[in-house]
Amino acid sequence: GCAQKYIVKNYFYYYLFKFSAALGEEIFYITFLPFTYWNIDHSVSRRMIIIWSIVMYIGQVSKDILKWPRPLSPPVVKLEMRTDAEYGMPSTHAMAATAISFSFLIATVNQYKYPFELGLAAAFVFSTLVCLSRLYTGMHTVLDVIGGALISSVLLVLLYPAWDMIDHLLLTSPFCPLLSIAVPLVLCYNYPKLDYYSPTRADTTTILGAGAGATVGFWLDNQYATPVYTRENFQLEFPVITSKIVVVVLARFFVGIFVVLLTRWLVKSVVLGMLGYRYKFPIGDLEARRRLEVEVPYKFITYSSVGFCATVLVPLLHKLLGLM
């Protein structure tokens, strides 16, 4: 498909919802989730990443099991084309936005001193904007969006009582590194098969790979850096924002993002080159890269390296540069 022609009559809504749609895509995940790990709180970031991985896997698989089509065009005008090949129900944008915003609220409300009403309003506004963006861009029906938000909410309620237990096991179990890699790989290789190619398997492998790499990083940090369970729990106030804090936060972020993006590019190039040599195809062959034996390992290795880099290598670099 070619993109449809359309006339923008309200640029405020157009750019608002195009931006809001990006809050449910890789560019947001690869910046916001590491940002919380580097600048806010490790425990908050851990919980968000684990919840995000579980919720997104269930959402992606549900799409390819239910096989509900996206809205017909016409009558809607679709402002995006990459995900048009995917099925519609549930909206994983709605699921991710709900999971990330409300897990952030739940993870911080008892640990930091701030008005609960403010946090609730921020979570609601964030998730609502992302949900509405899927309607505006013509990618989902109202039912898709409501279904995604409800499924994510139910999963949050079901997983919340086990948060601390899961976190403890992931940080302390000697089997964590092995299971963190093996289980997602099994899930990726046994992803539901479709009659035609859809980017859902690639996106799911990306998410599970990033979560796996980050989880191994969490485990290593707890074993060899700063053990989480040797510290007492206490409530913190957000620090007064000064120019020095802003500079340090921005320095951590830009240094970290540069290293993460460099890692992604290097690992992707090396892995694709090796797979191309193994299966005899040029790196630019898109059809070959969509094959199961190529797509899963190259996506999984690339993004597990990204997750590991963000949780282990970048914090070490921050210490070396005096940014901690």
Side-chain angles (χ1 to χ4, degrees), residues 236-256:
L236 302 172
E237 292 187 11
F238 282 111
V240 177
I241 297 177
T242 63
S243 58
K244 181 179 179 180
I245 290 176
V246 171
V247 170
V248 171
V249 166
L250 290 177
R252 287 177 189 164
F253 176 72
F254 286 114
V255 167

Side-chain angles (χ1 to χ4, degrees), residues 53-184:
S53 301
I54 295 172
V55 164
M56 288 298 287
Y57 174 76
I58 292 174
Q60 295 285 77
V61 170
S62 298
K63 281 185 178 184
D64 289 339
I65 291 176
L66 294 173
K67 298 183 179 180
W68 287 19
R70 289 186 181 270
L72 294 176
S73 177
V76 304
V77 175
K78 295 185 177 181
L79 306 188
E80 298 176 13
M81 295 307 299
R82 178 187 175 275
T83 57
D84 192 40
E86 298 180 4
Y87 290 106
M89 177 67 175
S91 166
T92 46
H93 272 71
M95 292 184 71
T98 303
I100 289 176
S101 58
F102 284 94
S103 62
F104 182 84
L105 171 65
I106 295 168
T108 58
V109 69
N110 291 323
Q111 192 169 348
Y112 292 91
K113 292 181 179 178
Y114 67 86
F116 172 75
E117 295 78 8
L118 178 62
L120 182 63
F124 181 79
V125 169
F126 178 90
S127 56
T128 300
L129 281 175
V130 175
C131 289
L132 290 177
S133 74
R134 307 317 288 158
L135 303 178
Y136 183 88
T137 55
M139 301 311 296
H140 285 285
T141 65
V142 174
L143 185 59
D144 294 343
V145 170
I146 293 175
L150 285 178
I151 293 171
S152 191
S153 300
V154 170
L155 289 172
L156 275 174
V157 171
L158 293 176
L159 291 170
Y160 175 71
W163 270 21
D164 291 337
M165 180 186 71
I166 294 172
D167 191 48
H168 184 271
L169 288 174
L170 289 178
L171 293 177
T172 60
S173 172
F175 302 105
C176 174
L178 176 61
L179 293 177
S180 296
I181 299 297
V183 173

Side-chain angles (χ1 to χ4, degrees), residues 12-64:
F12 174 76
Y13 287 140
Y14 178 78
Y15 288 114
L16 173 65
F17 290 125
K18 289 286 281 185
F19 172 78
S20 300
L23 298 178
E25 297 173 358
E26 180 183 351
I27 189 172
F28 174 73
Y29 303 143
I30 209 170
T31 53
F32 177 72
L33 294 177
F35 179 88
T36 62
Y37 193 77
W38 302 330
N39 292 300
I40 298 179
D41 191 289
H42 286 193
S43 65
V44 173
S45 183
R46 287 197 307 270
R47 285 161 171 76
M48 283 199 299
I49 289 173
I50 297 304
I51 294 296
W52 169 68
S53 301
I54 295 172
V55 164
M56 288 298 287
Y57 174 76
I58 292 174
Q60 295 285 77
V61 170
S62 298
K63 281 185 178 184
D64 289 339

Side-chain angles (χ1 to χ4, degrees), residues 170-219:
L170 289 178
L171 293 177
T172 60
S173 172
F175 302 105
C176 174
L178 176 61
L179 293 177
S180 296
I181 299 297
V183 173
L185 266 178
V186 170
L187 294 175
C188 292
Y189 274 107
N190 290 276
Y191 193 82
K193 293 180 174 59
L194 298 177
D195 297 331
Y196 62 92
Y197 179 79
S198 166
T200 48
R201 184 181 65 200
D203 292 343
T204 304
T205 306
T206 294
I207 293 163
L208 293 183
T215 302
V216 173
F218 298 152
W219 185 85

